[in-house]
C-alpha cells in the first residue's frame, strides 16, 4: 500500500493545469499526501539539492549522474493577445527580467532582439489575466488559453520539453 507524502515542484504553466489533475486520482484515494510547490525554472534544481522536493518538473534534462530524467511531453508556446480590444504596441508581459521565453520565441521566428517593453507579473495566470485585460501580449503555453485570448497569427510556435 502507498503511504507518505510526495513533494513535487515545478513551473507554473504545468503544475496547476497538468500535474495536479494527473495526481488527483492518487490523492483522492487518501493514502498519499502532497506537497505542491510552484517556482521559477532557475530555482527548481535547488529543490532537489536541498531535498525540499522529491520530483521537479523542468523544461530541460538536468544532467546529473544522481538524477533520472523522464520526458513527459512538451509545451507549445504561442503569442497571445486579448480576444477583444487593443493592446499597447510593443508591450509584453513576462515573469521577471530573467525570463527568456519571449526572446526565445522571437529568435525562433527570425527576430534576434525585438524592441520590447517588458512588464512583469511573475505568475502565469496573472500574465494571462493581464493579456485578457489588454495590458500587453505574452508568449504563453497554448494549453492555458481560454475564450479571453487569441493567438496572434503569423508566428511559429516555440516548443519546449516538460521533463520530470
Amino acid at each position: 500500500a502507498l503511504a507518505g507524502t510526495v513533494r513535487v515542484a515545478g513551473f507554473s504553466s504545468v503544475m496547476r493545469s497538468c500535474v495536479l489533475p494527473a495526481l488527483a486520482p492518487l490523492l483522492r484515494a487518501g493514502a498519499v499526501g502532497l506537497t505542491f510547490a510552484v517556482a521559477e525554472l532557475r530555482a527548481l534544481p535547488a529543490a532537489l539539492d536541498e531535498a525540499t522536493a522529491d520530483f521537479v518538473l523542468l523544461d530541460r534534462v538536468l544532467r546529473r549522474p544522481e538524477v533520472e530524467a523522464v520526458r513527459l511531453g512538451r509545451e507549445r508556446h504561442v503569442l497571445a493577445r486579448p480576444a477583444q480590444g487593443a493592446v499597447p504596441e510593443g508591450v509584453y508581459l513576462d515573469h521577471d527580467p530573467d525570463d527568456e521565453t519571449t526572446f526565445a520565441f522571437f529568435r525562433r521566428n527570425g527576430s534576434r532582439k525585438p524592441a520590447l517593453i517588458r512588464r512583469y507579473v511573475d505568475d502565469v495566470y496573472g500574465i494571462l489575466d493581464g493579456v485578457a485585460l489588454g495590458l500587453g501580449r505574452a508568449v504563453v503555453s497554448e494549453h492555458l488559453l481560454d475564450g479571453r485570448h487569441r493567438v496572434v497569427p503569423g508566428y511559429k510556435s516555440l516548443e519546449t520539453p516538460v521533463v520530470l
Side-chain angles (χ1 to χ4, degrees), residues 10-21:
F11 50 102
S12 61
S13 60
V14 298
M15 290 297 285
R16 187 170 121 190
S17 62
C18 300
V19 175
L20 196 56

Side-chain angles (χ1 to χ4, degrees), residues 71-76 143 159-162:
R71 187 176 173 144
L72 300 178
R74 61 181 168 75
E75 268 195 304
R76 185 183 182 118
H143 77 274
E159 294 190 6
T160 56
V162 177

Side-chain angles (χ1 to χ4, degrees), residues 40-105:
E40 298 296 335
L41 281 164
R42 66 184 168 279
L44 290 168
L48 289 177
D49 297 339
E50 297 162 6
T52 59
D54 302 308
F55 300 95
V56 297
L57 284 105
L58 295 168
D59 64 348
R60 66 193 181 285
V61 171
L62 189 59
R63 300 203 184 279
R64 296 183 182 172
E66 72 278 12
V67 173
E68 181 181 347
V70 177
R71 187 176 173 144
L72 300 178
R74 61 181 168 75
E75 268 195 304
R76 185 183 182 118
H77 303 278
V78 296
L79 183 59
R81 65 169 182 82
Q84 298 179 6
V87 181
E89 191 60 40
V91 175
Y92 292 85
L93 307 179
D94 282 316
H95 282 266
D96 58 48
D98 296 324
D99 182 352
E100 290 291 318
T101 305
T102 299
F103 294 117
F105 177 84

